[in-house]
Each structure stands twice: as C-alpha cells, then as structure tokens.
Amino acid sequence: MESITIYAYSTAKSPLSLAECHEKLWPERLEQLSRFPEQSQQHSLAGDLLALMAYRAAYPADAFPPERAVTPEGKPYFPARPAFHYSISHSGEWVVCAVGAVPLGVDIQVERPVRPAVFRALSAAEQAELDGLAERERLPAFFDVWCLKEAYTKAIGLGLQARFRDFSVSKKAEISVPGFSVSLPHFWDCRYHLGVCAQATTMPGLRLQLVEKTALF
C-alpha cells in the first residue's frame, strides 16, 4: 500500500505574500485570498502551495497549475486527477498537507485551554476515556482525540458538518468506523497535536516532511 506524506510548513519562519504567488495560483483564488485577514491568508497560501508542490511532483507532465474544484461540502480536489487525495490543516504557525492514494484527512492543533462545553461534542466512549485519566493527562488526550475526529470528518468530505458524537476515536489511535484507520504521528513541535485518518483497513505508512520556502517556488 502506498504511503501518505504529510508536508509541514511554518508561516512564522517563512511568511508568504500574494505578490510572489501570482504565477503559482489561479487568478480567482488570488482575488479571494486578497480579502482574507493576514493570518488566514498566510495559512491558505501555504496550504495551496503545499498541495500544488505535491501535485507537481506526482504529475510533472500535467498543465500547471491544474484546475481546482471544490465539492458542495467544501472539500477541494483536482478534477484531472481524482486519485490524488489531499487534505490541509493549520493551527498557530504550522500548516500541514497530507497527500495519498486513498481518501484521507489531516488535522493539526496547538494545545491550549478549552471551554468545558467543548467536551460535550465528544461521544460517550470518548468522554469516558478522558474521565479515566489523571487531570494533567486530560487536555493532551483531548487534543489527540479532537485531531482524529477532525481528520475523519475531512476524510469523508464533511468537515465540521459531520456529527462528532456519532462516532468514536481513542487516544490509542483507534476508530469505531469500519474501513477507516487513524494515527497520531509525532510532530516536531511539542506544542502541537497531529492526527491522520485514511479510508483503509490498515493505516498506510506515514512520512512527515518539513518544507522550506524554496521548495514551494
């Protein structure tokens, strides 16, 4: 089974600008991004460029940039290459893009305090798992679980439109949905949690790759 590559880019280390992306992105996308707040613009630019970098490496003979479309639920894809699956996530300074040959989702989250009400979005099984942990372990475990839940909803193309309480994941990297696998790869920046989901009975091999700005251009 082919592996999944997760590309990671730091917008704090290497900020991006619309001007330097004119030859890389679609005019309508650049116009859209010009209306975004600064941080959202940085995240979106990095996510688009990571996906295009991976596409170009996979299909060097294709016209570039390739046509990009979005499902009614908001999931982007490249119509010319339906077998090229990718997912983008961002949090804080980091943007990640997971690429593979099966439907997949990725989510990254910086660990931070959360309101108690957020825990009500978890399933009963997930809440029971967290309740069984020591106090100092609960917040890190919550973010592991949350990343896996987000990754699954992205893999099925629904994102936050999915009902989070209708399925369960575990900080042991297990999921209650048949035909899907999840994983919690170690991320270099210990402040962050990273979760991946793939539509596969066994999780493909995972490769995490740090991307420098020069690789995007």
Side-chain angles (χ1 to χ4, degrees):
M1 181 180 296
E2 293 188 38
S3 63
I4 291 172
T5 300
I6 306 163
Y7 299 101
Y9 185 84
S10 170
T11 56
K13 178 183 176 183
S14 303
L16 298 163
S17 70
L18 285 174
E20 61 191 341
C21 298
H22 277 178
E23 295 184 2
K24 294 292 180 181
L25 298 181
W26 313 266
E28 63 275 13
R29 179 61 169 164
L30 288 166
E31 196 280 329
Q32 180 187 40
L33 293 179
S34 70
R35 302 192 298 270
F36 283 19
E38 176 61 25
Q39 186 178 48
S40 296
Q41 185 181 102
Q42 287 287 315
H43 287 160
S44 297
L45 282 172
D48 286 352
L49 291 175
L50 286 172
L52 288 171
M53 179 194 73
Y55 184 99
R56 183 174 53 193
Y59 310 109
D62 282 14
F64 195 84
E67 179 189 358
R68 175 181 177 271
V70 179
T71 67
E73 295 76 25
K75 185 174 184 177
Y77 67 100
F78 297 116
R81 298 290 184 177
F84 180 87
H85 298 277
Y86 75 100
S87 176
I88 295 168
S89 181
H90 53 77
S91 183
E93 72 175 84
W94 287 102
V95 180
V96 293
C97 176
V99 176
V102 295
L104 53 79
V106 68
D107 192 63
I108 189 169
Q109 298 283 339
V110 63
E111 190 173 309
R112 60 199 181 277
V114 296
R115 294 176 289 107
V118 175
F119 286 79
R120 293 202 291 270
L122 303 180
S123 70
E126 291 160 349
Q127 292 185 38
E129 180 180 30
L130 296 186
D131 288 344
L133 300 174
E135 182 67 30
R136 68 180 183 280
E137 298 176 312
R138 273 183 208 147
L139 189 62
F142 167 80
F143 276 100
D144 282 345
V145 167
W146 193 264
C147 280
L148 294 181
K149 291 181 83 68
E150 288 259 27
Y152 168 71
T153 62
K154 291 179 179 181
I156 62 174
L158 291 181
L160 292 176
Q161 299 176 58
R163 289 172 54 88
F164 269 32
R165 291 177 62 95
D166 287 351
F167 66 99
S168 297
V169 297
S170 164
K171 68 181 295 291
K172 298 176 183 177
E174 299 169 346
I175 187 168
S176 65
V177 184
F180 286 84
S181 300
V182 292
S183 181
L184 291 163
H186 172 72
F187 195 66
W188 309 290
D189 191 331
C190 63
R191 300 171 297 167
Y192 289 77
H193 296 254
L194 181 65
V196 182
C197 178
Q199 188 173 342
T201 54
T202 302
M203 175 62 71
L206 298 175
R207 184 168 66 98
L208 187 59
Q209 181 175 326
L210 179 64
V211 175
E212 300 292 341
K213 187 173 182 176
T214 53
L216 300 178
F217 295 94

